[in-house]
Amino acid sequence: MSEFRIHHDVNELLSLLRVHGGEGAEVYIDLLQKNRTPYVTTTVSAHSAKVKIAEFSRTPEDFLKKYDELKSKNTRHLDSLVYLLSKLTEDKETLQYLQQNAKERAELAANAVTSGSTNFSIPASTSKISLQELEELRKQLGSVTASSSVQQPLELTRKILRDKQSKKNSGQPIPVFPSWVYERLALIGDFLIGPSLSTDTTVPIGTLPLASQESMIVEDLLYVLIGVDGRYITAQPLVGRQNRAFSVDPNLDLSIKELVTRILPVAASYSVVTRFIEEKSSFEYGQVNHALAAAMRTLIKEYMILITQLEHLQRQGLLSLQKLWFYIQPTMRTLEILALLATSVDKGECMGGSTLSLLHDKTFNYTGDSQAQELCLYLTKAASVPYFEILEKWIYRGIINDPYSEFMVEEHELQKEKIQEDYNDKYWDQRYTVVQQQIPSFLQKMADKILSTGKYLNVVRECGRDVTCPVAKEVIYTLKERAYVEQIEKAYNYASKVLLDFLMEEKELVAHLRSIKHYFLMDQGDFFVHFMDLTEEELKKPVDDIIPTRLEALLELALRMSTANTDPFKDDLKIDLMPHDLITQLLRVLAIETKQEKAIISADPTELTLSGLEAFSFDYIVKWPLSLIINRKALTRYQMLFRHMFYCKHVERQLCNVWISNKMAKQFSLHSAKWFAGAFTLRQRMLNFVQNIQYYMMFEVMEPTWHILEKNLKLRFTQSMKLDNEMVRLTLEHGTMLGPPTEEERAEESAKKKLTNKLLAEHADNLHLTSGFVATINKFDSNFSTHLLDLLDKLSVYSTNDCEHSMLNIIYRLDFNGFYTERLEHMSAERSQKAAPLLPSLGVPAQ
């Protein structure tokens, strides 16, 4: 489970429990991530958990009944949930809180019901209710209960399914049976409930001798076993999902009646199976259920052959009731299992993968009963054929052909052109998604790989290339899961290789990544020198006064005048003026799914006037299919890195300009120059800080990480020699296109310097008379030192507590001569003194 899913689920749970205030979801999320351990539910642990909850429950019968009901519906993760609930029964504090919470929720619900309107009135508690009012109330409640328990008509169910399938497969007609198939009930093969059409006179069976009774009952049973009412044995109308019940003539001899009662469950099972076959044979219930019904129909045909043979013996007078019981016993077990499976599929409203999960679990549960397991294995193999056909097309060709929504992967209509606008992985995550209830339990572990395999092939297919896995083999159901794993692994490896080769060789993924590195990670030095020189004046303006087209033109000029001109993807680089500064952008990211999210997102971005430097960023155009990898989410991360680095570079340029202007102090008298000493020292400290921070970020953080990325790409694409050639070519690129300045440019520059020197000389001697200059420098020095010491102190703490030893490098670079060491030691001692009073309360003696 991903961190974001845990975050979402914890927030949902807190909302359901009406937990407000406190430290929020973050505390619980940290605890879950630190303490969670993988758990595999076994049959023994599930049974123990069920027994524990039943013992704890006030109504154990209701709990066990509900458990069996959910188990019959093949509810996913039921045993895991029961295990979790059993653990909660051991936690008294949690139980007490849940009980109190349930009480409060019940009171709120009761208040809501009291304040709402009802469809029928109940007399006030102070008055006595009459028998007539009681009967009326009983009827009203009974009608409500009956209307909620009535089974939905099959025709309505089929219509809902047809509408859903037609909506999904617009333009592709879904086959349906003609209406007469459902109108002619005699075609179903089950009992016809209604007035009897027979004109035969029924002789009271109690008046017949015992031998005649047996003969008549054997004849009746042969009819009842194939879904036709007899003279003395008739089927009762069905109520809901109950099994078929039969009415036997009460005048029948008790000895015969006892044996008849043993045989009738076969007829009841036959009725269940026959109705299931006729219902699930409709196209609306999907191909898996259709295949299962077809397999059951084959078994029923064998059963009908047996009944025909028994009828032949009965006509010859060779079939007694005892012989009928003997011949029918092997079939009884088969029909019982078929009826159980049909009832489970019907109750669970299973289709596609959920049907296969149920069949697979039943097959495993019959371990030790070879006959039952072989029967379930036969049915599961037959039912899995259409599902595996869909699976094969998906993992071998990247195509989904699932008109009845039975497959574990579902396709959604999304436009890939909008990937550049989405700040998430919406297209990749939502174009094809896993439908949990349609994952067969025997493929659960491989679900993610199955999804990815088809996705990879589908991307290549959408680019106009037809792909077919060369190691494709027919997938056949088996109890040995290793067979599926091997086939899916081979298909996955092939799909990965095809997609990655396609992206690397044909779409030049590495070249695009290097291009992004050049601009967003600022490793194209001469380009940025030209660009910042050209745009310096423009970016000083407020963002509203900047003309984007002018910046685009200056960008184009800088690209053409530097070594970036050799980049084949330089035209994909664009200018982007953001509506908020970098700090606000980071806060918006960090505030996702927190209490401050609404306040930060709804803040007016125009409250502060941004300069061009604060709003400036690059953007990059990425086309399909590279946009799946270099999507808006990834580009946003690159943009935030770039904005920080770009502003640091701007500050460094400003400090370097100050250093250049400080050289003019050599022209001043000694008395005047001493006032600049403090400013010079502060400028040098600031420059040292900015340059070392940039060095650390670029050469100790980003560059090593980038090399790891390249190394991983090489390991996965050793067959792509083009990568090595590209890396060599890009490494050898150097130089600049700028020539030496012209005489006119030198003269203009010289005039500017003379004018600047003159102005500085006129005002330099008066600077020392103004106390504001010295005070300003001291204030800058104090603020800078405070923030720098705080940064060094935090870096020292993090490097120690979080074992981030790489942070020691930047500490040593910034404090290379021990200038700040004494003050840092003093701050560390103060922290220790503040923590000392807390030690006794933790059971540790104070020093």
Side-chain angles (χ1 to χ4, degrees):
M1 184 182 291
S2 67
E3 180 181 354
F4 297 103
R5 179 61 185 272
I6 294 175
H7 200 136
H8 176 269
D9 290 347
V10 169
N11 278 295
E12 285 289 315
L13 183 59
L14 292 178
S15 176
L16 288 172
L17 295 176
R18 302 178 184 274
V19 177
H20 303 290
E23 298 177 334
E26 288 74 14
V27 176
Y28 303 106
I29 293 168
D30 291 341
L31 288 173
L32 283 174
Q33 291 181 330
K34 291 178 180 177
N35 299 324
R36 63 174 175 165
T37 55
Y39 173 75
V40 179
T41 308
T42 62
T43 305
V44 176
S45 63
H47 178 73
S48 302
K50 182 177 68 172
V51 171
K52 184 180 293 185
I53 296 178
E55 293 173 350
F56 179 81
S57 175
R58 296 179 180 176
T59 55
E61 297 83 4
D62 293 341
F63 165 74
L64 293 174
K65 182 179 178 181
K66 189 65 178 179
Y67 176 85
D68 292 337
E69 178 187 343
L70 294 174
K71 199 68 176 177
S72 68
K73 292 183 177 181
N74 199 37
T75 305
R76 291 293 178 93
H77 307 302
L78 176 62
D79 290 335
S80 301
L81 176 62
V82 169
Y83 178 80
L84 173 62
L85 294 176
S86 70
K87 286 296 183 183
L88 289 177
T89 61
E90 302 172 359
D91 191 335
K92 295 182 179 180
E93 185 178 354
T94 303
L95 280 177
Q96 185 178 1
Y97 174 80
L98 291 175
Q99 289 171 353
Q100 180 64 28
N101 185 268
K103 182 179 178 181
E104 294 173 357
R105 290 166 63 87
E107 291 175 355
L108 289 173
N111 294 335
V113 171
T114 304
S115 61
S117 59
T118 57
N119 294 328
F120 53 87
S121 60
I122 300 177
S125 59
T126 55
S127 61
K128 292 184 178 180
I129 185 170
S130 65
L131 292 176
Q132 184 179 359
E133 290 173 333
L134 179 62
E135 186 63 26
E136 183 64 27
L137 180 59
R138 185 180 297 158
K139 288 181 180 179
Q140 291 179 358
L141 291 174
S143 63
V144 172
T145 306
S147 63
S148 63
S149 61
V150 170
Q151 188 176 359
Q152 188 170 259
L154 293 179
E155 179 56 36
L156 179 59
T157 303
R158 286 193 294 267
K159 184 178 183 303
I160 293 173
L161 291 173
R162 279 198 302 269
D163 293 342
K164 180 181 177 181
Q165 292 156 8
S166 299
K167 185 177 180 181
K168 178 182 178 181
N169 304 277
S170 56
Q172 299 180 6
I174 301 296
V176 294
F177 286 131
S179 58
W180 58 263
V181 172
Y182 308 109
E183 294 170 356
R184 300 181 183 180
L185 299 179
L187 296 175
I188 295 177
D190 195 17
F191 296 93
L192 293 176
I193 304 300
S196 177
L197 300 177
S198 176
T199 58
D200 295 342
T201 303
T202 303
V203 179
I205 198 167
T207 63
L208 298 176
L210 192 61
S212 298
Q213 287 188 28
E214 182 178 357
S215 177
M216 298 293 287
I217 285 298
V218 168
E219 182 180 2
D220 263 20
L221 282 173
L222 290 175
Y223 279 112
V224 170
L225 289 173
I226 59 173
V228 180
D229 282 335
R231 292 187 179 93
Y232 307 104
I233 304 174
T234 57
Q236 298 297 313
L238 290 171
V239 180
R241 297 182 183 274
Q242 293 180 1
N243 289 338
R244 180 75 70 182
F246 296 91
S247 175
V248 182
D249 194 312
N251 299 318
L252 184 64
D253 185 82
L254 289 178
S255 61
I256 297 177
K257 192 173 183 179
E258 175 65 25
L259 202 51
V260 168
T261 306
R262 295 182 185 180
I263 297 174
L264 283 179
V266 180
S269 298
Y270 169 81
S271 176
V272 171
V273 176
T274 302
R275 280 182 280 117
F276 177 83
I277 290 172
E278 295 302 323
E279 179 185 348
K280 303 305 179 184
S281 294
S282 299
F283 294 103
E284 293 85 353
Y285 291 94
Q287 300 176 80
V288 172
N289 284 342
H290 185 87
L292 176 61
M296 286 187 174
R297 192 187 298 274
T298 302
L299 296 173
I300 290 296
K301 286 180 180 178
E302 296 179 1
Y303 167 77
M304 296 296 287
I305 292 173
L306 171 64
I307 299 299
T308 303
Q309 293 172 347
L310 293 176
E311 286 179 349
H312 183 67
L313 291 175
Q314 191 264 341
R315 290 192 192 100
Q316 295 176 346
L318 301 175
L319 185 65
S320 65
L321 190 58
Q322 288 289 346
K323 285 186 177 180
L324 176 60
W325 169 240
F326 173 77
Y327 287 128
I328 208 72
Q329 282 190 48
T331 310
M332 178 181 286
R333 178 61 173 157
T334 300
L335 284 176
E336 181 187 351
I337 295 171
L338 293 180
L340 177 62
L341 293 175
T343 303
S344 299
V345 172
D346 200 28
K347 281 185 177 180
E349 298 179 353
C350 299
M351 284 182 64
S354 56
T355 298
L356 294 181
S357 293
L358 188 146
L359 294 173
H360 175 76
D361 294 343
K362 294 292 184 185
T363 305
F364 255 103
N365 290 340
Y366 284 124
T367 301
D369 186 344
S370 58
Q371 179 189 356
Q373 189 174 53
E374 186 178 351
L375 175 61
C376 289
L377 187 60
Y378 163 75
L379 294 174
T380 311
K381 280 185 177 180
S384 64
V385 169
Y387 190 91
F388 283 152
E389 288 177 355
I390 303 174
L391 175 65
E392 289 167 12
K393 279 190 177 180
W394 176 246
I395 64 174
Y396 295 150
R397 301 186 62 193
I399 298 174
I400 282 189
N401 184 14
D402 181 25
Y404 302 104
S405 302
E406 301 175 276
F407 191 48
M408 69 171 74
V409 179
E410 185 178 18
E411 182 179 9
H412 306 275
E413 291 296 330
L414 293 175
Q415 297 180 3
K416 56 178 175 284
E417 291 78 11
K418 291 187 176 181
I419 295 179
Q420 282 293 310
E421 303 172 8
D422 295 331
Y423 284 84
N424 50 37
D425 302 327
K426 182 178 179 181
Y427 185 87
W428 182 251
D429 290 341
Q430 298 183 15
R431 173 67 192 278
Y432 295 101
T433 57
V434 169
V435 184
Q436 287 295 331
Q437 63 267 25
Q438 296 295 5
I439 304 176
S441 54
F442 51 88
L443 293 178
Q444 182 73 49
K445 297 178 181 178
M446 302 298 294
D448 290 335
K449 281 200 172 180
I450 290 173
L451 175 66
S452 299
T453 301
K455 275 185 176 182
Y456 296 161
L457 296 177
N458 185 264
V459 169
V460 180
R461 180 174 293 280
E462 287 200 7
C463 294
R465 288 184 54 180
D466 189 21
V467 287
T468 302
C469 182
V471 293
K473 290 183 180 179
E474 183 182 4
V475 183
I476 301 175
Y477 175 77
T478 175
L479 291 176
K480 298 178 181 178
E481 294 187 9
R482 186 62 195 169
Y484 307 114
V485 173
E486 291 177 356
Q487 287 180 261
I488 294 169
E489 285 282 0
K490 290 179 181 178
Y492 175 78
N493 292 335
Y494 171 76
S496 302
K497 181 178 181 298
V498 166
L499 176 61
L500 297 176
D501 286 350
F502 178 71
L503 293 176
M504 294 289 291
E505 297 179 4
E506 196 164 319
K507 297 301 178 180
E508 301 179 279
L509 172 62
V510 172
H512 276 90
L513 290 174
R514 280 190 165 276
S515 179
I516 289 175
K517 180 174 183 282
H518 291 334
Y519 307 119
F520 287 86
L521 302 187
M522 298 182 67
D523 77 339
Q524 201 79 20
D526 64 320
F527 160 72
F528 280 99
V529 170
H530 291 310
F531 179 74
M532 298 184 82
D533 286 341
L534 292 171
T535 59
E536 185 173 11
E537 295 300 323
E538 189 72 15
L539 292 178
K540 288 180 181 178
K541 301 177 183 178
V543 67
D544 294 334
D545 297 340
I546 295 178
I547 304 173
T549 53
R550 177 171 172 77
L551 278 181
E552 293 283 357
L554 295 175
L555 172 63
E556 181 75 14
L557 183 61
L559 287 170
R560 304 300 177 191
M561 293 175 60
S562 65
T563 54
N565 191 42
T566 60
D567 182 6
F569 309 113
K570 60 181 179 296
D571 294 332
D572 293 333
L573 188 66
K574 301 297 177 185
I575 297 291
D576 190 10
L577 295 175
M578 308 292 286
H580 38 253
D581 61 6
L582 177 59
I583 299 298
T584 304
Q585 187 177 10
L586 285 170
L587 288 175
R588 288 166 68 96
V589 173
L590 295 174
I592 292 175
E593 295 187 1
T594 64
K595 298 177 181 179
Q596 296 81 16
E597 182 177 12
K598 291 183 179 179
I600 292 178
I601 292 179
S602 60
D604 187 1
T606 60
E607 289 180 0
L608 297 175
T609 303
L610 297 178
S611 67
L613 281 165
E614 293 172 317
F616 177 77
S617 181
F618 280 144
D619 200 0
Y620 197 84
I621 299 174
V622 188
K623 298 178 182 178
W624 174 267
L626 293 181
S627 52
L628 287 173
I629 300 172
I630 312 172
N631 52 26
R632 175 52 55 187
K633 186 176 182 179
L635 284 175
T636 301
R637 294 169 176 170
Y638 277 112
Q639 281 184 330
M640 289 192 288
L641 284 173
F642 168 76
R643 294 180 74 182
H644 181 56
M645 297 297 300
F646 186 78
Y647 204 83
C648 287
K649 181 60 69 174
H650 164 71
V651 172
E652 182 190 6
R653 284 170 58 90
Q654 294 295 97
L655 289 171
C656 289
N657 290 336
V658 172
W659 176 78
I660 293 173
S661 64
N662 287 163
K663 291 195 297 184
M664 305 301 175
K666 292 187 293 185
Q667 303 176 10
F668 307 147
S669 62
L670 182 61
H671 178 73
S672 302
K674 69 178 182 180
W675 297 104
F676 293 95
F680 294 170
T681 304
L682 178 60
R683 178 256 304 153
Q684 193 58 37
R685 288 172 57 205
M686 288 181 173
L687 187 60
N688 177 71
F689 168 76
V690 172
Q691 289 177 339
N692 280 290
I693 282 289
Q694 286 186 95
Y695 175 88
Y696 174 76
M697 290 187 295
M698 295 186 71
F699 295 102
E700 295 192 25
V701 177
M702 291 189 293
E703 197 64 29
T705 309
W706 187 267
H707 281 294
I708 292 173
L709 171 64
E710 286 190 338
K711 181 180 178 181
N712 292 337
L713 288 175
K714 285 181 181 178
L715 291 175
R716 299 181 70 179
F717 307 110
T718 53
Q719 74 278 16
S720 299
M721 297 302 296
K722 186 174 182 179
L723 291 180
D724 297 331
N725 298 333
E726 182 71 11
M727 292 173 64
V728 171
R729 182 181 69 82
L730 293 173
T731 305
L732 295 176
E733 289 178 354
H734 58 85
T736 178
M737 297 181 63
L738 293 180
T742 62
E743 291 296 331
E744 183 179 353
E745 290 174 340
R746 287 178 177 174
E748 183 179 355
E749 186 68 21
S750 178
K752 287 182 179 180
K753 288 182 178 179
K754 288 180 180 180
L755 179 61
T756 302
N757 292 342
K758 181 180 179 182
L759 293 173
L760 287 174
E762 290 177 355
H763 298 284
D765 291 334
N766 297 327
L767 284 175
H768 68 280
L769 300 176
T770 306
S771 59
F773 176 77
V774 178
T776 301
I777 295 300
N778 290 338
K779 184 178 180 181
F780 284 164
D781 194 329
S782 176
N783 289 340
F784 177 75
S785 298
T786 301
H787 289 302
L788 180 56
L789 282 169
D790 187 53
L791 173 64
L792 290 172
D793 185 49
K794 292 291 192 299
L795 290 174
S796 177
V797 172
Y798 292 149
S799 64
T800 304
N801 295 346
D802 299 341
C803 298
E804 294 288 345
H805 303 302
S806 60
M807 288 185 177
L808 293 175
N809 296 339
I810 184 62
I811 296 175
Y812 292 141
R813 294 186 69 89
L814 294 177
D815 190 25
F816 64 94
N817 59 355
F819 181 76
Y820 303 104
T821 301
E822 183 179 350
R823 298 173 71 176
L824 285 172
E825 291 175 351
H826 179 68
M827 293 173 69
S828 178
E830 288 182 348
R831 273 200 312 274
S832 301
Q833 290 178 358
K834 290 180 180 179
L838 299 177
L839 294 178
S841 63
L842 298 175
V844 180
Q847 299 295 327

